[in-house]
């Protein structure tokens, strides 16, 4: 019976970890699709994307260094995440077209350089005991800690500008589902005897920030839906030309030309 329970816990832990990241990567793929197909780059934080990219790259490097066949699935999954996040980052900063205060007036505490330094310091002070040397334990903590705070610049940007920009309900939902599977992963690990409290706290912070992102997204959507159509649009469009009616009959047409402000 105990062996069966242990097998179930191991299966939940493995699948919870992988599926959590799979949902997160599918969400990033939807964001990448919108960035490329609809050219909607506004209000997506480059600092958050860079932080996520560094965290995912660090995880791929670590799992590659360990040379464990069991971790090859995680390495492949992480590599997919690196490619998706890198693609979104490339599109976001291409030709500096992004309307993102992280490139101009974002407070220094939300810059990705500061977030990386914070993650390094915390990982050196509180390295998780995952059974490796001190440096490998600290490196493991680094990508977990960095990933957990990657959303901070994005949430600040949404709160400051009151604009959800290129984000969609599908992306937000997928990121939320990823947190559910990560919760199953940590529960399975905890009941298997692996009490990695530092990493559990880091993932709890990550889950809280995802909840904040979902809350801000829904709040802005509710506010937008409560406005009449004209109020939603007048801030971003201006009228530059009205043509003459097409013909002097009962039914005629005029062309209204609008320009983005």
């Amino acid at each position: 019976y105990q062996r069966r329970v242990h097998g179930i816990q191991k299966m939940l832990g493995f699948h919870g970890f992988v599926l959590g990241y799979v949902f997160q990567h599918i969400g990033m793929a939807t964001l990448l699709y919108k960035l490329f197909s609809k050219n909607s780059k506004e209000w997506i934080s480059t600092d958050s994307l860079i932080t996520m990219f560094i965290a995912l790259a660090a995880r791929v490097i670590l799992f590659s260094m360990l040379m464990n066949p069991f971790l090859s699935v995680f390495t492949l999954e992480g590599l997919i995440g690196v490619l998706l996040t890198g693609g979104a980052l490339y599109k976001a900063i291409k030709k500096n077209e992004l309307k993102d205060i992280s490139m101009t007036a974002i407070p220094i505490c939300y810059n990705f350089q500061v977030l990386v330094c914070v993650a390094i310091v915390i990982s050196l002070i509180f390295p998780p005991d995952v059974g490796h040397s001190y440096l490998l334990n600290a490196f493991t903590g680094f990508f977990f800690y960095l990933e957990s705070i990657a959303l901070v610049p994005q949430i600040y940007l949404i709160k400051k500008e009151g604009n959800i920009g290129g984000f969609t309900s599908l992306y937000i939902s997928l990121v939320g589902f990823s947190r559910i599977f990560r919760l199953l992963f940590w529960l399975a690990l905890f009941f298997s005897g692996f009490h990695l409290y530092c990493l559990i706290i880091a993932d709890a912070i990550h889950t809280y920030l995802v909840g904040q992102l979902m809350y801000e997204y829904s709040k802005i959507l509710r506010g937008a839906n409560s406005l009449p159509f004209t109020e939603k649009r007048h801030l971003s469009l201006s009228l530059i030309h009205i043509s003459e009616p097409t013909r002097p009959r009962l039914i005629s047409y005029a062309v209204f030309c609008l320009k983005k402000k």
Side-chain angles (χ1 to χ4, degrees), residues 51-65:
T51 305
M52 290 179 193
F53 180 83
I54 295 173
L56 286 167
R59 184 157 62 86
V60 170
I61 292 170
L62 175 66
F63 289 161
S64 300
M65 289 169 54

Side-chain angles (χ1 to χ4, degrees), residues 152-167:
V152 171
Q154 184 63 66
I155 294 171
Y156 171 82
L157 184 62
I158 291 177
K159 282 185 175 182
K160 179 175 173 55
E161 300 299 328
N163 193 313
I164 55 177
F167 290 102

Side-chain angles (χ1 to χ4, degrees), residues 18 20 25 115 134 143 145 166 177-178 190 221 226 233 238 258:
V18 173
H25 298 335
L115 297 180
Y134 170 78
F143 75 75
Y145 300 149
F177 275 119
S178 73
F190 185 84
L221 277 188
S226 66
R233 301 301 181 199
S238 60
L258 301 175

Side-chain angles (χ1 to χ4, degrees), residues 4 19 23 25 72 74 92 153 179 218 226 232 253:
R4 185 180 301 175
L19 287 175
F23 274 98
H25 298 335
S72 59
F74 302 134
R179 292 289 92 202
S218 61
S226 66
K232 293 179 194 177
Y253 302 92

Side-chain angles (χ1 to χ4, degrees), residues 88-228:
L89 181 60
Y90 164 77
K91 184 62 177 176
I93 63 176
K94 186 181 179 183
K95 296 180 182 178
N96 290 333
E97 293 172 346
L98 182 63
K99 291 181 181 178
D100 183 351
I101 57 172
S102 68
M103 302 179 74
T104 53
I106 190 171
I108 190 172
C109 60
Y110 297 120
N111 289 346
F112 77 90
Q113 297 96 325
V114 174
L115 297 180
V116 170
C117 291
V118 169
I120 291 174
V121 171
I122 296 176
S123 63
L124 291 174
I125 298 175
F126 301 106
D129 185 9
V130 291
H132 303 301
S133 65
Y134 170 78
L135 288 179
L136 283 179
N137 288 347
F139 195 48
T140 302
F142 168 72
F143 75 75
F144 266 105
Y145 300 149
L146 187 61
E147 185 183 37
S148 70
I149 57 177
L151 283 175
V152 171
Q154 184 63 66
I155 294 171
Y156 171 82
L157 184 62
I158 291 177
K159 282 185 175 182
K160 179 175 173 55
E161 300 299 328
N163 193 313
I164 55 177
F167 290 102
T168 63
S169 299
L170 179 59
Y171 171 79
I172 299 296
S173 301
L174 288 168
V175 173
F177 275 119
S178 73
R179 292 289 92 202
I180 295 174
F181 284 103
R182 286 292 286 272
L183 176 63
L184 291 176
F185 164 72
W186 287 116
L187 285 175
L189 243 63
F190 185 84
F191 288 110
S192 297
F194 296 96
H195 301 157
L196 304 173
Y197 294 110
C198 294
L199 300 185
I200 292 174
I201 292 172
D203 235 33
I205 292 172
H206 192 173
T207 303
Y208 169 77
L209 291 175
V210 169
Q212 279 289 103
L213 181 65
M214 297 174 75
Y215 170 74
E216 294 297 330
Y217 179 85
S218 61
K219 185 172 71 172
I220 292 172
L221 277 188
R222 287 197 305 268
N225 291 334
S226 66
L227 293 173

Side-chain angles (χ1 to χ4, degrees), residues 4-43:
R4 185 180 301 175
V5 170
H6 181 71
I8 293 173
Q9 289 173 344
K10 187 175 180 180
M11 182 185 68
L12 282 175
F14 175 80
H15 287 90
F17 189 87
V18 173
L19 287 175
Y21 276 113
V22 165
F23 274 98
Q24 182 175 315
H25 298 335
I26 294 174
M28 184 59 69
T30 64
L31 183 63
L32 186 62
Y33 169 77
K34 188 167 184 181
L35 283 170
F36 274 93
S37 64
K38 299 185 179 180
N39 202 32
S40 177
K41 304 180 288 297
E42 293 83 5
W43 319 120

Side-chain angles (χ1 to χ4, degrees), residues 245-252:
T246 54
R247 56 184 67 183
R249 294 183 179 179
L250 291 177
I251 299 177
S252 62

